[in-house]
Amino acid sequence: MPVLHATDRALLRVSGEESRDFLQGLVTNDVTRIDDGPVYAAMLTPQGKYLADFIMSADGDGIVLDCAAAQTAGLSLRLGMYKLRAKVEIVPDPRQVVLRWGDEAGAGIADPRHADLGTREYVNDLPEVTGTLEDYTGHRIALGVPSSGVDLISNDSYILEMGFERLNGVDFRKGCYVGQEVTARMKHKAELKKGLARVTLDGPAEPGTEILAGEKVAGDLRSVAGSEGLAYLRFDRTGGEMRAGDTKVTLV
């Protein structure tokens, strides 16, 4: 059972008597579900584009947001913009994030994005590390789970193209939230022509490398671990041979 100190993750704590109602009007998933376990969600722009994603957990009288460390300051600022007179406090939580995966992942809360992704624990004292970030990245890619800042690009990505529906990250019945109208329209009125997909590589390639199908751009490579990766692709150009530089790319 690998154990990893996720130094690329950080915690925010949202507390106060109006904290649930406050978040409910902002995020893509139903905040009331946190009483049954952790909930995956995102914040969007009014135009429906991804800003940040996080795992929400009930914690005493507050809600903990487990998010990418690089997004913490921006997310806190964005939440503060919407706070107005709401009786809500938004502060950093100093605990560290520990990931466990594999058979009998053990302590912590189950990651809500995929049943096989593992568990997450928020601690002050770190356990012994037995896994690496590359190990976890490969595990995440094999399950088709995107990562903030690599696969999910702020002010650019659309969450339905990034698989949020299968990742339990959006609720279409909860009511209004920022960006809800665009997301609902994509769900009910449009066939997705682009999206994140698993690929295999027959050689080295760096994240961000353009993927060509013949002479046409098919997309770009995102997360990579060994011979596997995630790529953002135009589905109408994935039927033939694709290449990222000199490396052959095959859709899984």
Side-chain angles (χ1 to χ4, degrees):
M1 179 186 66
V3 178
L4 177 66
H5 172 207
T7 56
D8 61 337
R9 305 293 295 185
L11 304 175
L12 285 176
R13 183 179 178 85
V14 181
S15 58
E17 61 185 84
E18 297 178 355
S19 57
R20 293 195 178 199
D21 289 340
F22 170 70
L23 288 174
Q24 184 75 328
L26 296 177
V27 307
T28 60
N29 217 332
D30 186 353
V31 177
T32 65
R33 291 173 46 207
I34 63 173
D35 290 327
D36 299 320
V39 173
Y40 183 48
M43 276 193 71
L44 310 180
T45 68
Q47 296 75 33
K49 292 186 176 182
Y50 163 88
L51 279 175
D53 62 316
F54 36 82
I55 295 170
M56 303 184 293
S57 301
D59 188 72
D61 62 350
I63 300 170
V64 170
L65 307 185
D66 173 349
C67 55
Q71 293 181 336
T72 305
L75 178 57
S76 181
L77 182 63
R78 178 69 62 154
L79 290 170
M81 287 172 54
Y82 286 110
K83 181 181 174 182
L84 300 177
R85 296 181 180 178
K87 297 177 181 178
V88 172
E89 184 179 22
I90 305 159
V91 298
D93 184 321
R95 292 177 295 176
Q96 306 293 305
V97 180
V98 171
L99 307 178
R100 304 172 190 266
W101 66 99
D103 295 336
E104 299 181 0
I109 60 172
D111 195 306
R113 294 172 292 179
H114 194 290
D116 296 328
L117 198 50
T119 62
R120 314 175 75 84
E121 190 177 8
Y122 308 140
V123 302
N124 292 308
D125 299 315
L126 292 171
E128 180 182 358
V129 171
T130 58
T132 67
L133 181 58
E134 185 176 4
D135 293 336
Y136 183 75
T137 299
H139 176 61
R140 175 177 62 75
I141 289 172
L143 298 175
V145 178
S147 178
S148 313
V150 182
D151 308 295
L152 300 165
I153 310 301
S154 293
N155 291 296
D156 183 74
S157 297
Y158 289 101
I159 61 169
L160 296 191
E161 292 183 341
M162 297 295 110
F164 265 62
E165 189 168 5
R166 65 176 172 79
L167 295 170
N168 309 307
V170 58
D171 189 311
F172 294 103
R173 298 170 296 180
K174 61 160 282 187
C176 294
Y177 56 88
V178 178
Q180 181 264 344
E181 184 177 352
V182 175
T183 305
R185 190 183 311 128
M186 290 183 71
K187 164 68 174 174
H188 298 295
K189 295 185 177 180
E191 180 181 354
L192 295 180
K193 298 180 179 180
K194 301 178 182 179
L196 200 67
R198 289 179 57 215
V199 296
T200 58
L201 311 169
D202 74 348
E206 293 295 322
T209 302
E210 190 173 70
I211 297 174
L212 298 179
E215 298 298 319
K216 296 182 177 180
V217 176
D220 61 88
L221 195 58
R222 301 285 172 101
S223 287
V224 176
S227 62
E228 295 192 344
L230 296 176
Y232 179 62
L233 298 171
R234 281 186 53 160
F235 297 134
D236 63 345
R237 296 182 179 175
T238 59
E241 181 175 299
M242 297 184 292
R243 305 197 75 84
D246 296 326
T247 296
K248 182 179 179 181
V249 178
T250 304
L251 185 67
V252 176

